[in-house]
Amino acid sequence: MIIVLAALVVLFTFFFATVFGRGERTMPLPSNDEVLEYNRTRLEHGEIDEIMFDTVLRGYRQDQVDDVIEELRHQIDSLQARLLEKGDDLRFNQPPAPIGRENG
């Protein structure tokens, strides 16, 4: 009886695997270079909401995040240089003023 039951389990497993397969096939993930280039292009066009990162075990891929941060840092430095050329004296490296009630 156990042998017959085991044979039925094997047959049904094979039958369902043949009929239903392994599920939907997913599209292959883009290569890391493609993701980095895509993110750089999105940053150049100011489309920050369109940035994407591959996920790994504990979050996002660090090299992709580092690349975006470096690109943003480059853009900020460029904007600061342009402001200094125009004579604006904005201090970006100072902490922002506290938000809340003013004393007085």
Side-chain angles (χ1 to χ4, degrees):
M1 184 68 174
I2 293 177
I3 295 173
V4 172
L5 185 59
L8 286 175
V9 168
V10 169
L11 286 175
F12 280 127
T13 302
F14 178 75
F15 173 74
F16 284 114
T18 303
V19 171
F20 297 110
R22 293 182 162 210
E24 293 183 36
R25 292 191 181 258
T26 58
M27 293 176 38
L29 293 173
S31 71
N32 190 41
D33 293 333
E34 290 174 352
V35 172
L36 294 175
E37 187 60 35
Y38 175 83
N39 287 341
R40 288 180 189 140
T41 305
R42 298 289 62 93
L43 287 172
E44 288 174 6
H45 296 300
E47 299 170 351
I48 294 176
D49 291 337
E50 299 298 321
I51 293 173
M52 66 178 184
F53 301 113
D54 291 335
T55 54
V56 291
L57 182 61
R58 295 191 176 166
Y60 297 116
R61 285 192 54 163
Q62 191 64 42
D63 59 331
Q64 293 173 356
V65 174
D66 289 343
D67 187 71
V68 168
I69 290 172
E70 185 62 35
E71 184 65 30
L72 288 171
R73 182 176 297 148
H74 174 69
Q75 287 183 9
I76 290 170
D77 291 343
S78 173
L79 290 172
Q80 283 179 335
R82 287 175 52 192
L83 285 173
L84 288 174
E85 286 175 3
K86 291 185 176 193
D88 292 340
D89 189 22
L90 295 176
R91 306 271 184 224
F92 289 104
N93 294 328
Q94 293 180 350
I99 298 174
R101 291 190 216 176
E102 294 183 26
N103 295 333

XYZ file of all heavy atoms in Angstrom:
846
model
N 0.819 -1.193 0.000
C 0.000 0.000 0.000
C 0.866 1.262 0.000
O 0.543 2.225 -0.697
C -0.935 -0.054 1.229
C -1.899 1.069 1.292
S -3.054 0.876 -0.069
C -4.157 2.114 0.262
N 1.915 1.256 0.797
C 2.803 2.413 0.868
C 3.509 2.613 -0.466
O 3.686 3.740 -0.925
C 3.814 2.246 2.024
C 3.060 2.287 3.350
C 4.875 3.325 1.971
C 3.926 2.068 4.552
N 3.877 1.525 -1.115
C 4.556 1.616 -2.412
C 3.609 2.214 -3.461
O 4.001 3.053 -4.264
C 5.080 0.232 -2.849
C 6.150 -0.236 -1.867
C 5.619 0.278 -4.273
C 6.622 -1.642 -2.104
N 2.353 1.807 -3.435
C 1.364 2.335 -4.374
C 1.149 3.829 -4.112
O 1.092 4.640 -5.050
C 0.031 1.564 -4.260
C -1.070 2.218 -5.098
C 0.213 0.115 -4.660
N 1.049 4.213 -2.857
C 0.866 5.613 -2.485
C 2.069 6.449 -2.923
O 1.908 7.540 -3.483
C 0.650 5.733 -0.974
C 0.332 7.131 -0.462
C -0.921 7.679 -1.104
C 0.200 7.103 1.041
N 3.279 5.943 -2.709
C 4.485 6.659 -3.133
C 4.528 6.791 -4.656
O 4.898 7.843 -5.189
C 5.733 5.944 -2.622
N 4.132 5.771 -5.366
C 4.104 5.822 -6.836
C 3.096 6.857 -7.320
O 3.358 7.611 -8.276
C 3.789 4.443 -7.404
N 1.931 6.926 -6.670
C 0.930 7.927 -7.041
C 1.435 9.348 -6.782
O 1.197 10.251 -7.584
C -0.381 7.680 -6.287
C -1.204 6.482 -6.766
C -2.408 6.265 -5.857
C -1.658 6.677 -8.199
N 2.114 9.539 -5.671
C 2.677 10.857 -5.367
C 3.674 11.258 -6.441
O 3.667 12.392 -6.935
C 3.324 10.867 -3.964
C 4.165 12.115 -3.759
C 2.264 10.749 -2.889
N 4.538 10.340 -6.841
C 5.524 10.627 -7.882
C 4.823 10.935 -9.204
O 5.173 11.895 -9.900
C 6.515 9.452 -8.037
C 7.372 9.613 -9.282
C 7.373 9.322 -6.793
N 3.818 10.139 -9.578
C 3.097 10.375 -10.826
C 2.361 11.711 -10.820
O 2.407 12.453 -11.805
C 2.114 9.232 -11.094
C 2.749 7.914 -11.547
C 1.683 6.823 -11.656
C 3.438 8.104 -12.886
N 1.651 12.006 -9.732
C 0.938 13.284 -9.654
C 1.907 14.464 -9.658
O 1.644 15.484 -10.277
C 0.036 13.330 -8.419
C -1.263 12.596 -8.590
C -1.639 11.633 -7.680
C -2.104 12.879 -9.663
C -2.847 10.952 -7.831
C -3.301 12.207 -9.820
C -3.677 11.236 -8.902
N 3.032 14.314 -8.982
C 4.031 15.385 -8.978
C 4.548 15.623 -10.392
O 4.646 16.774 -10.846
C 5.197 15.033 -8.036
O 4.676 14.817 -6.721
C 6.230 16.143 -8.001
N 4.868 14.569 -11.099
C 5.342 14.698 -12.475
C 4.259 15.304 -13.370
O 4.536 16.188 -14.177
C 5.779 13.319 -13.008
C 6.223 13.369 -14.430
C 7.461 13.902 -14.773
C 5.403 12.898 -15.453
C 7.876 13.959 -16.099
C 5.802 12.957 -16.767
C 7.040 13.482 -17.095
N 3.020 14.844 -13.207
C 1.913 15.352 -14.020
C 1.699 16.851 -13.797
O 1.603 17.630 -14.742
C 0.628 14.574 -13.699
C -0.587 15.138 -14.377
C -0.792 14.964 -15.740
C -1.525 15.862 -13.645
C -1.915 15.490 -16.362
C -2.641 16.392 -14.266
C -2.837 16.205 -15.620
N 1.622 17.282 -12.527
C 1.396 18.695 -12.235
C 2.580 19.557 -12.660
O 2.410 20.691 -13.114
C 1.075 18.902 -10.756
C -0.332 18.498 -10.397
C -0.562 17.440 -9.556
C -1.412 19.191 -10.920
C -1.849 17.067 -9.220
C -2.709 18.821 -10.595
C -2.933 17.755 -9.738
N 3.785 19.046 -12.527
C 4.960 19.803 -12.969
C 4.951 19.969 -14.486
O 5.341 21.014 -15.007
C 6.235 19.102 -12.520
N 4.479 18.952 -15.191
C 4.409 19.031 -16.648
C 3.325 20.003 -17.092
O 3.531 20.817 -17.986
C 4.132 17.637 -17.250
O 5.146 16.733 -16.816
C 4.114 17.691 -18.764
N 2.174 19.952 -16.448
C 1.045 20.792 -16.842
C 1.271 22.248 -16.445
O 1.099 23.158 -17.248
C -0.270 20.266 -16.221
C -1.413 21.256 -16.445
C -0.621 18.910 -16.801
N 1.655 22.481 -15.193
C 1.750 23.846 -14.679
C 3.146 24.434 -14.747
O 3.320 25.643 -14.672
C 1.242 23.902 -13.238
C -0.210 23.537 -13.130
C -0.597 22.349 -12.534
C -1.187 24.365 -13.644
C -1.929 22.009 -12.431
C -2.529 24.028 -13.557
C -2.900 22.840 -12.947
N 4.135 23.617 -14.859
C 5.507 24.102 -14.949
C 5.992 24.725 -13.652
O 5.441 24.493 -12.581
N 7.005 25.563 -13.782
C 7.598 26.202 -12.601
C 7.037 27.593 -12.341
O 7.523 28.330 -11.524
C 9.107 26.312 -12.784
C 9.778 24.981 -12.791
C 11.251 25.166 -12.918
N 11.921 23.951 -12.502
C 13.104 23.918 -11.968
N 13.771 25.019 -11.770
N 13.639 22.779 -11.620
N 6.054 27.987 -13.086
C 5.490 29.320 -12.910
C 5.937 30.234 -14.030
O 6.512 29.804 -15.032
N 5.660 31.496 -13.867
C 6.011 32.458 -14.896
C 7.514 32.643 -14.979
O 8.197 32.677 -13.970
C 5.375 33.816 -14.582
C 3.882 33.823 -14.664
C 3.324 35.206 -14.403
O 3.969 36.191 -14.813
O 2.272 35.286 -13.785
N 7.976 32.821 -16.172
C 9.381 33.145 -16.359
C 9.536 34.651 -16.199
O 8.752 35.420 -16.735
C 9.866 32.726 -17.732
C 9.917 31.235 -17.906
C 10.646 30.896 -19.177
N 10.673 29.470 -19.363
C 11.729 28.719 -19.114
N 12.840 29.267 -18.696
N 11.684 27.418 -19.305
N 10.534 35.031 -15.454
C 10.778 36.454 -15.258
C 11.827 36.924 -16.250
O 12.645 36.142 -16.743
C 11.270 36.733 -13.828
O 12.466 35.996 -13.583
C 10.226 36.345 -12.811
N 11.789 38.210 -16.527
C 12.776 38.780 -17.430
C 14.135 38.771 -16.741
O 14.213 38.935 -15.522
C 12.388 40.219 -17.789
C 11.129 40.312 -18.612
S 10.582 41.994 -18.966
C 12.064 42.885 -19.232
N 15.203 38.589 -17.492
C 16.524 38.621 -16.869
C 16.825 40.023 -16.339
O 16.393 41.029 -16.917
C 17.476 38.232 -17.999
C 16.720 38.462 -19.251
C 15.271 38.331 -18.920
N 17.535 40.086 -15.232
C 17.899 41.369 -14.651
C 18.926 42.076 -15.530
O 19.769 41.429 -16.146
C 18.485 41.162 -13.258
C 17.519 40.632 -12.201
C 18.276 40.318 -10.921
C 16.419 41.619 -11.932
N 18.867 43.404 -15.585
C 19.881 44.123 -16.370
C 21.245 43.985 -15.698
O 21.339 43.774 -14.483
C 19.389 45.569 -16.352
C 18.461 45.667 -15.201
C 17.900 44.301 -14.981
N 22.291 44.129 -16.490
C 23.632 44.029 -15.924
C 23.897 45.248 -15.035
O 23.216 46.271 -15.119
C 24.672 43.954 -17.037
O 24.779 45.212 -17.686
N 24.896 45.127 -14.189
C 25.235 46.211 -13.270
C 25.616 47.474 -14.030
O 25.234 48.582 -13.641
C 26.366 45.772 -12.336
C 26.582 46.752 -11.215
O 25.629 47.275 -10.648
N 27.826 47.029 -10.887
N 26.346 47.321 -15.132
C 26.736 48.489 -15.925
C 25.513 49.191 -16.513
O 25.468 50.422 -16.580
C 27.685 48.087 -17.050
C 29.026 47.614 -16.518
O 29.416 48.042 -15.415
O 29.679 46.811 -17.208
N 24.517 48.419 -16.914
C 23.295 49.014 -17.454
C 22.542 49.795 -16.384
O 22.016 50.876 -16.648
C 22.390 47.933 -18.044
C 22.914 47.297 -19.310
C 22.064 46.141 -19.773
O 21.144 45.721 -19.031
O 22.296 45.642 -20.881
N 22.500 49.265 -15.172
C 21.825 49.955 -14.069
C 22.553 51.248 -13.730
O 21.928 52.296 -13.542
C 21.722 49.039 -12.822
C 21.208 49.810 -11.621
C 20.823 47.846 -13.110
N 23.888 51.205 -13.675
C 24.661 52.408 -13.369
C 24.448 53.479 -14.433
O 24.238 54.658 -14.107
C 26.149 52.069 -13.248
C 26.556 51.167 -12.079
C 28.032 50.830 -12.166
C 26.223 51.798 -10.755
N 24.465 53.087 -15.697
C 24.258 54.048 -16.784
C 22.836 54.606 -16.756
O 22.623 55.801 -16.972
C 24.557 53.388 -18.136
C 24.532 54.350 -19.290
C 25.543 55.477 -19.155
O 26.650 55.254 -18.628
O 25.208 56.608 -19.569
N 21.866 53.753 -16.488
C 20.469 54.194 -16.398
C 20.322 55.234 -15.286
O 19.693 56.277 -15.482
C 19.562 52.987 -16.132
C 18.118 53.342 -15.899
C 17.261 53.550 -16.970
C 17.610 53.475 -14.619
C 15.934 53.885 -16.770
C 16.291 53.813 -14.405
C 15.455 54.012 -15.478
O 14.144 54.344 -15.268
N 20.899 54.955 -14.123
C 20.792 55.887 -12.999
C 21.481 57.212 -13.310
O 20.974 58.280 -12.960
C 21.366 55.267 -11.731
C 20.468 54.187 -11.165
O 19.288 54.122 -11.495
N 21.015 53.339 -10.335
N 22.641 57.168 -13.945
C 23.338 58.412 -14.303
C 22.497 59.243 -15.274
O 22.407 60.462 -15.140
C 24.689 58.091 -14.932
C 25.695 57.574 -13.949
C 27.015 57.275 -14.609
N 27.884 56.583 -13.684
C 28.673 55.587 -14.011
N 28.735 55.172 -15.267
N 29.431 55.003 -13.107
N 21.877 58.592 -16.240
C 21.027 59.297 -17.189
C 19.827 59.916 -16.486
O 19.465 61.066 -16.759
C 20.537 58.332 -18.289
O 21.665 57.713 -18.899
C 19.725 59.055 -19.327
N 19.212 59.186 -15.571
C 18.067 59.724 -14.834
C 18.485 60.941 -14.007
O 17.752 61.917 -13.924
C 17.457 58.671 -13.904
C 16.899 57.446 -14.612
C 15.616 57.656 -15.420
N 15.637 58.568 -16.527
C 15.875 58.276 -17.798
N 16.131 57.062 -18.154
N 15.860 59.203 -18.730
N 19.670 60.888 -13.393
C 20.144 62.023 -12.607
C 20.425 63.236 -13.487
O 20.138 64.363 -13.102
C 21.397 61.642 -11.822
C 21.169 60.725 -10.623
C 22.500 60.269 -10.047
C 20.339 61.422 -9.569
N 20.989 63.006 -14.662
C 21.267 64.118 -15.575
C 19.984 64.824 -15.985
O 19.983 66.035 -16.193
C 22.001 63.614 -16.817
C 23.426 63.224 -16.576
C 24.078 62.585 -17.792
O 23.427 62.557 -18.865
O 25.208 62.107 -17.663
N 18.893 64.086 -16.102
C 17.611 64.661 -16.501
C 16.783 65.107 -15.295
O 15.650 65.560 -15.472
C 16.805 63.667 -17.337
C 17.468 63.321 -18.635
N 17.758 64.254 -19.605
C 17.906 62.138 -19.129
C 18.339 63.669 -20.631
N 18.445 62.375 -20.365
N 17.319 64.943 -14.085
C 16.609 65.367 -12.882
C 15.466 64.456 -12.482
O 14.579 64.864 -11.741
N 15.469 63.234 -12.938
C 14.394 62.286 -12.648
C 14.806 61.377 -11.493
O 14.990 60.173 -11.655
C 14.071 61.477 -13.894
C 13.606 62.322 -15.060
C 13.524 61.555 -16.359
O 13.981 60.396 -16.418
O 13.005 62.130 -17.328
N 14.896 61.948 -10.322
C 15.392 61.208 -9.155
C 14.447 60.073 -8.773
O 14.882 59.026 -8.308
C 15.634 62.169 -7.986
C 16.764 63.125 -8.349
C 15.963 61.430 -6.698
C 17.048 64.179 -7.331
N 13.150 60.254 -8.994
C 12.191 59.203 -8.651
C 12.334 57.963 -9.518
O 11.801 56.910 -9.186
C 10.764 59.733 -8.765
C 10.444 60.763 -7.701
O 11.114 60.753 -6.654
O 9.529 61.576 -7.923
N 13.036 58.069 -10.645
C 13.187 56.946 -11.566
C 14.436 56.106 -11.287
O 14.677 55.121 -11.974
C 13.230 57.456 -13.011
C 11.980 58.186 -13.440
C 10.752 57.298 -13.405
O 10.859 56.120 -13.779
O 9.690 57.791 -12.983
N 15.222 56.483 -10.305
C 16.445 55.735 -9.977
C 16.056 54.358 -9.456
O 15.083 54.204 -8.723
C 17.281 56.496 -8.928
C 17.811 57.783 -9.542
C 18.415 55.641 -8.400
C 18.505 58.674 -8.552
N 16.813 53.349 -9.870
C 16.532 51.990 -9.402
C 17.828 51.337 -8.924
O 18.916 51.675 -9.388
C 15.890 51.161 -10.503
C 16.775 50.899 -11.683
S 15.903 49.873 -12.869
C 17.188 49.618 -14.059
N 17.681 50.437 -7.989
C 18.807 49.678 -7.468
C 18.438 48.202 -7.439
O 17.278 47.853 -7.213
C 19.153 50.100 -6.026
C 19.504 51.548 -5.876
C 18.687 52.412 -5.171
C 20.665 52.051 -6.428
C 19.016 53.743 -5.022
C 21.005 53.388 -6.286
C 20.176 54.234 -5.572
N 19.427 47.352 -7.672
C 19.215 45.922 -7.482
C 19.196 45.650 -5.985
O 19.923 46.278 -5.214
C 20.349 45.110 -8.115
C 20.331 45.178 -9.637
O 19.259 45.419 -10.200
O 21.401 44.992 -10.235
N 18.347 44.727 -5.572
C 18.308 44.366 -4.157
C 19.167 43.135 -3.913
O 19.281 42.259 -4.767
C 16.873 44.091 -3.681
O 16.284 43.109 -4.521
C 16.032 45.351 -3.716
N 19.780 43.124 -2.763
C 20.585 41.992 -2.329
C 20.085 41.573 -0.953
O 19.094 42.113 -0.460
C 22.091 42.343 -2.304
C 22.611 42.544 -3.716
C 22.367 43.563 -1.485
N 20.772 40.668 -0.333
C 20.311 40.077 0.918
C 19.947 41.117 1.969
O 18.918 41.032 2.606
C 21.368 39.122 1.461
C 20.991 38.390 2.745
C 19.767 37.531 2.525
C 22.155 37.547 3.224
N 20.758 42.130 2.141
C 20.515 43.096 3.221
C 20.275 44.504 2.716
O 20.705 45.474 3.324
C 21.690 43.079 4.185
C 21.794 41.746 4.872
C 22.746 41.778 6.000
N 22.711 40.481 6.657
C 23.589 40.071 7.501
N 24.592 40.852 7.812
N 23.477 38.900 8.045
N 19.601 44.649 1.601
C 19.283 45.983 1.113
C 19.596 46.125 -0.361
O 19.369 45.221 -1.154
N 20.125 47.294 -0.709
C 20.460 47.590 -2.095
C 21.943 47.322 -2.353
O 22.749 47.320 -1.431
C 20.145 49.054 -2.422
C 18.688 49.387 -2.312
C 18.225 50.301 -1.380
C 17.768 48.789 -3.151
C 16.881 50.608 -1.286
C 16.422 49.088 -3.068
C 15.985 50.002 -2.130
O 14.665 50.302 -2.041
N 22.300 47.169 -3.626
C 23.702 46.968 -3.978
C 24.480 48.232 -3.652
O 24.178 49.308 -4.155
C 23.852 46.640 -5.464
C 23.437 45.218 -5.764
C 23.849 44.814 -7.118
N 25.269 45.026 -7.322
C 25.961 44.463 -8.293
N 25.368 43.664 -9.134
N 27.240 44.723 -8.436
N 25.480 48.088 -2.823
C 26.223 49.235 -2.319
C 26.945 49.994 -3.431
O 27.001 51.218 -3.405
C 27.232 48.777 -1.261
C 27.860 49.917 -0.498
C 26.851 50.686 0.327
O 25.991 50.117 0.959
N 26.950 52.003 0.295
N 27.479 49.296 -4.428
C 28.192 49.997 -5.491
C 27.251 50.870 -6.316
O 27.630 51.957 -6.752
C 28.945 49.013 -6.384
C 28.038 47.977 -7.036
O 26.995 47.641 -6.445
O 28.376 47.500 -8.128
N 26.004 50.447 -6.484
C 25.046 51.267 -7.207
C 24.648 52.500 -6.392
O 24.540 53.604 -6.930
C 23.811 50.447 -7.567
C 24.098 49.349 -8.567
C 22.912 48.442 -8.798
O 21.868 48.569 -8.157
N 23.071 47.498 -9.731
N 24.451 52.316 -5.098
C 24.113 53.447 -4.226
C 25.274 54.436 -4.181
O 25.080 55.650 -4.288
C 23.753 52.944 -2.811
C 23.538 54.115 -1.862
C 22.515 52.061 -2.850
N 26.496 53.927 -4.037
C 27.674 54.798 -4.002
C 27.806 55.607 -5.283
O 28.167 56.787 -5.252
C 28.941 53.981 -3.773
C 29.033 53.419 -2.365
O 28.303 53.895 -1.481
O 29.848 52.494 -2.161
N 27.517 54.986 -6.419
C 27.615 55.682 -7.700
C 26.605 56.828 -7.780
O 26.936 57.925 -8.229
C 27.391 54.701 -8.844
C 27.639 55.340 -10.193
O 28.821 55.613 -10.500
O 26.658 55.575 -10.917
N 25.382 56.602 -7.309
C 24.367 57.659 -7.323
C 24.765 58.790 -6.381
O 24.654 59.970 -6.730
C 22.975 57.088 -6.962
C 21.980 58.205 -6.675
C 22.465 56.207 -8.076
N 25.258 58.448 -5.202
C 25.680 59.478 -4.250
C 26.830 60.290 -4.832
O 26.865 61.521 -4.711
C 26.068 58.837 -2.897
C 24.807 58.306 -2.217
C 26.785 59.842 -2.008
C 25.089 57.499 -0.974
N 27.772 59.634 -5.478
C 28.899 60.344 -6.094
C 28.423 61.286 -7.197
O 28.898 62.419 -7.302
C 29.910 59.344 -6.648
C 31.165 59.983 -7.192
C 31.952 60.739 -6.139
O 31.977 60.304 -4.974
O 32.549 61.782 -6.484
N 27.471 60.837 -8.001
C 26.932 61.682 -9.062
C 26.188 62.888 -8.477
O 26.331 64.014 -8.961
C 25.996 60.874 -9.963
C 25.451 61.626 -11.137
C 26.508 62.034 -12.149
O 27.518 61.330 -12.287
O 26.304 63.067 -12.804
N 25.417 62.661 -7.416
C 24.728 63.779 -6.759
C 25.729 64.757 -6.147
O 25.549 65.974 -6.221
C 23.765 63.255 -5.687
C 22.507 62.566 -6.207
C 21.756 61.902 -5.067
C 21.615 63.546 -6.937
N 26.784 64.228 -5.544
C 27.819 65.086 -4.963
C 28.484 65.934 -6.059
O 28.735 67.131 -5.873
C 28.870 64.246 -4.245
C 29.952 65.089 -3.577
C 30.913 64.249 -2.792
N 30.160 63.614 -1.723
C 30.436 62.419 -1.229
N 31.453 61.736 -1.684
N 29.717 61.901 -0.263
N 28.722 65.330 -7.226
C 29.304 66.062 -8.346
C 28.363 67.182 -8.802
O 28.815 68.306 -9.063
C 29.593 65.105 -9.504
C 30.051 65.772 -10.753
N 31.276 66.379 -10.867
C 29.417 65.962 -11.930
C 31.386 66.908 -12.068
N 30.269 66.665 -12.737
N 27.080 66.902 -8.887
C 26.119 67.918 -9.295
C 26.047 69.055 -8.276
O 25.962 70.230 -8.657
C 24.731 67.301 -9.489
C 24.620 66.453 -10.731
C 23.217 65.915 -10.943
O 22.282 66.298 -10.249
N 23.079 65.012 -11.909
N 26.079 68.736 -6.994
C 26.043 69.769 -5.953
C 27.290 70.640 -6.033
O 27.207 71.874 -5.953
C 25.893 69.127 -4.555
C 24.489 68.542 -4.405
C 26.170 70.143 -3.453
C 24.310 67.684 -3.165
N 28.455 70.013 -6.191
C 29.695 70.788 -6.316
C 29.656 71.704 -7.531
O 30.110 72.853 -7.476
C 30.906 69.858 -6.392
C 31.174 69.135 -5.089
O 30.647 69.573 -4.041
O 31.910 68.122 -5.118
N 29.113 71.208 -8.630
C 29.002 72.020 -9.843
C 28.080 73.213 -9.622
O 28.393 74.338 -10.026
C 28.491 71.149 -10.988
O 28.227 71.922 -12.119
N 26.959 72.984 -8.961
C 26.024 74.083 -8.688
C 26.632 75.102 -7.720
O 26.435 76.312 -7.883
C 24.711 73.526 -8.132
C 23.858 72.742 -9.121
C 22.684 72.083 -8.407
C 23.365 73.636 -10.236
N 27.379 74.614 -6.735
C 28.045 75.535 -5.811
C 29.060 76.398 -6.547
O 29.146 77.601 -6.302
C 28.747 74.764 -4.685
C 27.811 74.253 -3.628
C 28.543 73.474 -2.552
O 29.623 72.933 -2.785
N 27.957 73.412 -1.384
N 29.804 75.805 -7.457
C 30.797 76.569 -8.225
C 30.109 77.626 -9.082
O 30.591 78.761 -9.187
C 31.627 75.630 -9.089
N 28.978 77.270 -9.690
C 28.245 78.245 -10.502
C 27.716 79.395 -9.649
O 27.732 80.550 -10.081
C 27.091 77.553 -11.227
C 27.578 76.676 -12.379
C 26.491 75.884 -13.037
N 25.357 76.695 -13.453
C 24.188 76.184 -13.837
N 24.026 74.869 -13.851
N 23.203 76.961 -14.205
N 27.248 79.091 -8.437
C 26.769 80.150 -7.553
C 27.908 81.069 -7.131
O 27.743 82.284 -7.053
C 26.083 79.547 -6.321
C 24.698 78.978 -6.541
C 24.206 78.268 -5.288
C 23.719 80.067 -6.941
N 29.067 80.487 -6.852
C 30.212 81.315 -6.463
C 30.666 82.206 -7.611
O 31.101 83.332 -7.399
C 31.363 80.436 -5.978
C 31.146 79.785 -4.605
C 32.275 78.825 -4.296
C 31.017 80.845 -3.531
N 30.570 81.705 -8.846
C 30.919 82.516 -10.016
C 29.994 83.723 -10.147
O 30.417 84.793 -10.547
C 30.831 81.688 -11.295
C 31.953 80.695 -11.472
C 31.752 79.824 -12.703
O 30.752 80.047 -13.438
O 32.569 78.922 -12.916
N 28.741 83.536 -9.774
C 27.774 84.634 -9.866
C 27.864 85.579 -8.670
O 27.190 86.590 -8.644
C 26.360 84.078 -9.969
C 26.095 83.387 -11.279
C 24.666 82.961 -11.378
C 24.427 82.358 -12.751
N 23.021 82.193 -13.035
N 28.644 85.210 -7.675
C 28.824 86.075 -6.517
C 27.880 85.785 -5.368
O 27.877 86.500 -4.375
N 27.057 84.766 -5.479
C 26.183 84.410 -4.369
C 27.019 83.777 -3.271
O 27.858 82.928 -3.515
C 25.100 83.425 -4.821
C 24.108 84.065 -5.766
O 24.034 85.306 -5.770
O 23.410 83.330 -6.483
N 26.789 84.195 -2.051
C 27.567 83.688 -0.926
C 26.690 82.779 -0.070
O 26.347 83.105 1.055
C 28.112 84.849 -0.091
C 29.111 84.383 0.957
O 29.688 83.300 0.779
O 29.291 85.104 1.955
N 26.307 81.641 -0.635
C 25.516 80.676 0.114
C 26.443 79.673 0.776
O 27.403 79.207 0.191
C 24.543 79.948 -0.816
C 23.468 80.822 -1.458
C 22.658 79.985 -2.430
C 22.577 81.421 -0.408
N 26.155 79.362 1.984
C 26.979 78.412 2.743
C 26.248 77.066 2.796
O 25.327 76.887 3.567
C 27.212 78.921 4.157
C 27.776 80.308 4.218
C 29.282 80.244 4.178
N 29.799 81.603 4.331
C 30.754 82.093 3.620
N 31.315 81.356 2.704
N 31.177 83.312 3.800
N 26.671 76.139 1.943
C 26.029 74.837 1.909
C 26.560 73.897 2.980
O 25.936 72.918 3.308
C 26.232 74.170 0.539
C 25.443 74.815 -0.545
C 26.051 75.649 -1.456
C 24.085 74.590 -0.647
C 25.315 76.245 -2.457
C 23.346 75.185 -1.650
C 23.971 76.019 -2.552
N 27.718 74.194 3.517
C 28.326 73.268 4.465
C 27.920 73.542 5.901
O 28.344 72.841 6.801
C 29.854 73.315 4.342
C 30.313 72.792 2.999
O 29.682 71.908 2.442
N 31.394 73.338 2.483
N 27.115 74.566 6.142
C 26.639 74.843 7.483
C 25.368 74.054 7.745
O 24.573 73.815 6.833
C 26.362 76.335 7.657
C 27.606 77.183 7.612
C 27.261 78.652 7.795
O 26.101 79.029 7.763
N 28.282 79.462 7.993
N 25.152 73.657 9.010
C 23.909 72.937 9.307
C 22.718 73.862 9.138
O 22.834 75.073 9.323
C 24.081 72.505 10.751
C 25.120 73.401 11.322
C 25.997 73.806 10.181
N 21.577 73.318 8.770
C 20.392 74.165 8.596
C 19.913 74.744 9.920
O 20.179 74.196 10.984
C 19.345 73.203 8.020
C 19.794 71.858 8.417
C 21.305 71.921 8.515
N 19.235 75.867 9.831
C 18.701 76.496 11.026
C 17.608 75.607 11.601
O 16.885 74.944 10.873
C 18.132 77.858 10.682
N 17.500 75.559 12.937
C 16.465 74.718 13.540
C 15.067 75.208 13.180
O 14.825 76.396 13.036
C 16.727 74.833 15.040
C 17.593 76.032 15.205
C 18.294 76.263 13.911
N 14.174 74.261 13.010
C 12.797 74.590 12.664
C 11.973 74.549 13.951
O 12.111 73.638 14.754
C 12.230 73.572 11.653
C 13.047 73.627 10.375
C 10.760 73.822 11.382
C 12.658 72.572 9.370
N 11.128 75.496 14.102
C 10.283 75.519 15.297
C 9.988 76.944 15.693
O 10.124 77.877 14.913
N 9.610 77.131 16.950
C 9.301 78.481 17.432
C 10.575 79.277 17.593
O 11.611 78.765 18.009
C 8.625 78.398 18.780
C 7.262 77.819 18.728
C 6.605 78.015 20.048
N 5.772 76.868 20.341
C 5.120 76.700 21.453
N 5.231 77.564 22.418
N 4.378 75.657 21.622
N 10.452 80.546 17.270
C 11.586 81.421 17.481
C 11.534 81.944 18.900
O 10.470 82.229 19.444
C 11.532 82.588 16.488
C 11.717 82.146 15.060
C 11.723 83.331 14.126
O 12.064 84.447 14.561
O 11.399 83.149 12.959
N 12.692 82.075 19.512
C 12.749 82.615 20.871
C 12.649 84.130 20.799
O 13.393 84.780 20.102
C 14.049 82.210 21.567
C 14.132 80.726 21.772
O 13.092 80.056 21.882
N 15.333 80.186 21.811
N 11.781 84.690 21.538
C 11.726 86.136 21.519
C 10.441 86.693 21.861
O 9.387 86.558 21.994
